[in-house]
Amino acid sequence: MDTIYLHIKKESGKTDQEEEAAIRQAGEIIQSGGLVAFPTETVYGLGGDALNPESSRKIYAAKGRPSDNPLIVHICRFEDIYGIVNGLPEAAVKIARAFWPGPLTMILQKSELVPRETTGGLDTVAVRFPSHPVAQKLIAYSGGYIAAPSANLSGRPSPTSAKYVAEDMDGRIDMIIDDGEVGIGLESTILDLTSDVPRILRPGYITREMLDEVLERVDIDVTIIDPESRQAPKAPGMKYRHYAPKGKLVIAEGTPEQVIRYINTHAEADRQAGEKTGVIATAEVLEQYHADVVKCIGSREDEKTIARNLFSILREFDDDNVTSIYSESFPAHGLGQAIMNRLLKAAGHRIVRL
Ligand code: TXA
Ligand code: MG
C-alpha cells in the first residue's frame, strides 16, 4: 500500500482551514476501517477505529504485535468515557480532573461497546484523553474513539517524530500525519483503577509523587521496581522486551568517576574485539568518554530533556550500526522512574552496580 504523508508542521505553509480539511480526511480514513499514525504529546500513535474489530486486527498486523497485548482507547471529550466503561470509580473522576487531557491512561472495566479484539481479550479497557490538539481533532473526526498503540514495529523504541514512524510503518498503513517532534518522548503513565487500591502499571510523565497528591493510596506494580519478581506484570505489554536497540546495551551505575572509568575501559576492550561502540552520556561529563559514537542525552539538571531524547538516541545507534552501547544510570524517582524503566528494558536489565 502507498502511505499518504500529511504535513501539518508550521513549515508546511497550510492555512488553518487546509489543515482542518486534511485532518477531517484522516478521520474519514479511520472511520472507513483504515489506519493513520498521528502525533500525541507522549509519542506517535498508530490509530484505528477502537469500536471496529477489523481495525484492531489491522493494527496488530501492521505492528507485528502479539494479539494478547491490549490497545489504549483515545478520547477527546471527558463525557465520551461513559460509552466505553462499565462504571466509573470516584478515584477515576479525581484523576481525570487533575491530569486530563494529558499523558495518563486509566484501566477500567469495559462496556459492551468495546470489542475484545481491541482489549486483547480482557474485560478491562485502557482509556486516555491526550492533550495534543491534532490528536484531539483526529479523534473527533474519527467518531470519538481511536485505538492506538505506539506507532513502532513491535520491539522497537516508540517513535518520537514522524520520520521514525515512517521508518517502521511506510507501506504498512494508510496515512502518517507529520507534526515534527513530540514534547514528552515517553509513553503515558498507566494507572489501574480496577482494584481497591489504584496501581501504576507503567511509570510515565505523571509521576507517582503527582498521583500521591490526588489519591489516598497508590501502589506500583512490583515488576516495575523488581524485575526479578516472578509475577507477571498486569499490563501485558510490559512483559515483552521493548525498546530494544540492535546493539547490546549495558547500564553502569556508580559515582561519575566510577561510571566513566568502567565505560571507557569496557568500550575500549569491545573496540579491540571489533565492535562499534557507543555511549549515552549526560552533558556534564560528555567530553570524558572515548568511544566511536558518544551521544548527549541532556543535562542531569533537566530530566525532561533526558526523557525526550532517550528513544531517538536508541534509534540513532541502530542507524549508526553501533553494536556495543553503554549508558549512564539515573536516579529512579520522579520522572527518573519512567526513564530508568525504559532504559532497563532496552538493556534487557543488564545493569552493572559499581
Ligand atoms: O502514550 C501512550 O500511551 C501511547 C500514545 C500513542 O497514546 N500509547 C502507547 O500504547 O504507549 P502501547 O500500546 O504502546 O502501550 C499500551 C500499554 C501496553 O503495555 C498494554 O499492555 C497496556 O498498555 N494495556 C492496554 N490495555 C490494558 C488493559 N486493559 N489492562 C492492562 N494493561 C493494558
Ligand atoms: Mg508501545
Side-chain angles (χ1 to χ4, degrees):
M1 118 179 18
D2 278 339
T3 301
I4 303 167
Y5 285 81
L6 172 61
H7 296 272
I8 50 172
K9 284 181 288 198
K10 282 280 158 286
E11 311 91 80
S12 73
K14 282 196 177 63
T15 63
D16 288 352
Q17 289 87 332
E18 284 166 342
E19 184 176 304
E20 196 75 22
I23 299 174
R24 186 180 314 127
Q25 187 205 344
E28 282 160 11
I29 293 176
I30 289 183
Q31 293 224 28
S32 56
L35 303 186
V36 175
F38 63 100
T40 81
E41 70 277 23
T42 57
V43 298
Y44 274 74
L46 172 54
D49 181 354
L51 307 185
N52 179 349
E54 192 48 43
S55 297
S56 294
R57 277 194 283 267
K58 280 191 198 166
I59 291 175
Y60 289 111
K63 276 185 69 95
R65 174 174 178 143
S67 60
D68 70 342
N69 189 358
L71 308 174
I72 295 175
V73 179
H74 295 68
I75 58 175
C76 62
R77 282 171 298 255
F78 174 75
E79 322 73 273
D80 291 346
I81 197 172
Y82 294 103
I84 54 171
V85 302
N86 185 0
L88 200 60
E90 183 56 34
V93 178
K94 280 193 192 159
I95 289 290
R97 241 185 241 132
F99 303 111
W100 274 4
L104 178 123
T105 298
M106 290 196 257
I107 309 291
L108 296 157
Q109 296 298 333
K110 80 170 195 72
S111 77
E112 290 291 304
L113 202 60
V114 188
R116 282 184 197 280
E117 283 77 0
T118 300
T119 63
L122 299 175
D123 289 332
T124 53
V125 61
V127 192
R128 168 154 134 74
F129 179 176
S131 62
H132 197 292
V134 175
Q136 291 183 356
K137 281 184 197 161
L138 181 67
I139 297 162
Y141 283 126
S142 301
Y145 301 104
I146 292 186
S150 49
N152 50 284
L153 286 173
S154 197
R156 298 214 71 202
S158 297
T160 51
S161 92
K163 83 173 179 221
Y164 297 131
V165 179
E167 263 179 29
D168 285 11
M169 290 297 156
D170 185 63
R172 302 174 77 91
I173 60 175
D174 298 279
M175 181 185 266
I176 296 175
I177 301 182
D178 184 347
D179 191 27
E181 287 175 23
V182 299
I184 293 178
L186 297 180
E187 309 87 343
S188 61
T189 305
I190 300 182
L191 187 66
D192 181 11
L193 290 155
T194 63
S195 48
D196 291 343
V197 180
R199 174 172 304 177
I200 298 168
L201 305 188
R202 179 172 74 181
Y205 189 84
I206 305 295
T207 62
R208 183 192 185 138
E209 291 78 359
M210 290 158 81
L211 293 168
D212 273 334
E213 290 196 1
V214 178
L215 298 173
E216 267 154 45
R217 251 190 89 184
V218 183
D219 282 348
I220 182 151
D221 191 304
V222 287
T223 60
I224 291 167
I225 30 189
D226 175 16
E228 311 284 281
S229 156
R230 297 224 182 94
Q231 281 187 38
K234 195 155 179 220
M238 297 294 276
K239 71 175 178 272
Y240 297 104
R241 176 159 178 239
H242 240 111
Y243 323 116
K246 291 177 195 150
K248 177 182 168 203
L249 170 61
V250 176
I251 305 165
E253 186 181 273
T255 64
E257 296 71 29
Q258 288 172 322
V259 169
I260 292 163
R261 196 175 330 118
Y262 177 90
I263 291 182
N264 283 339
T265 310
H266 286 260
E268 181 54 29
D270 291 352
R271 192 150 47 150
Q272 300 272 341
E275 307 263 2
K276 185 167 181 188
T277 56
V279 178
I280 301 177
T282 49
E284 288 78 2
V285 289
L286 184 70
E287 304 293 333
Q288 302 189 46
Y289 290 104
H290 312 289
D292 295 311
V293 189
V294 179
K295 292 206 186 277
C296 182
I297 194 166
S299 161
R300 284 210 170 258
E301 308 280 291
D302 178 6
E303 282 190 317
K304 289 183 184 171
T305 299
I306 292 174
R308 190 163 56 235
N309 286 336
L310 177 61
F311 287 153
S312 61
I313 286 184
L314 292 176
R315 280 185 180 255
E316 286 168 17
F317 277 130
D318 284 355
D319 296 342
D320 296 342
N321 295 310
V322 172
T323 55
S324 170
I325 309 165
Y326 293 90
S327 176
E328 293 178 21
S329 176
F330 301 93
H333 49 76
L335 184 53
Q337 182 157 60
I339 295 169
M340 278 309 283
N341 171 261
R342 307 312 194 271
L343 193 58
L344 278 163
K345 281 179 152 236
H349 292 282
R350 274 183 299 262
I351 179 162
V352 183
R353 298 196 163 88
L354 301 164

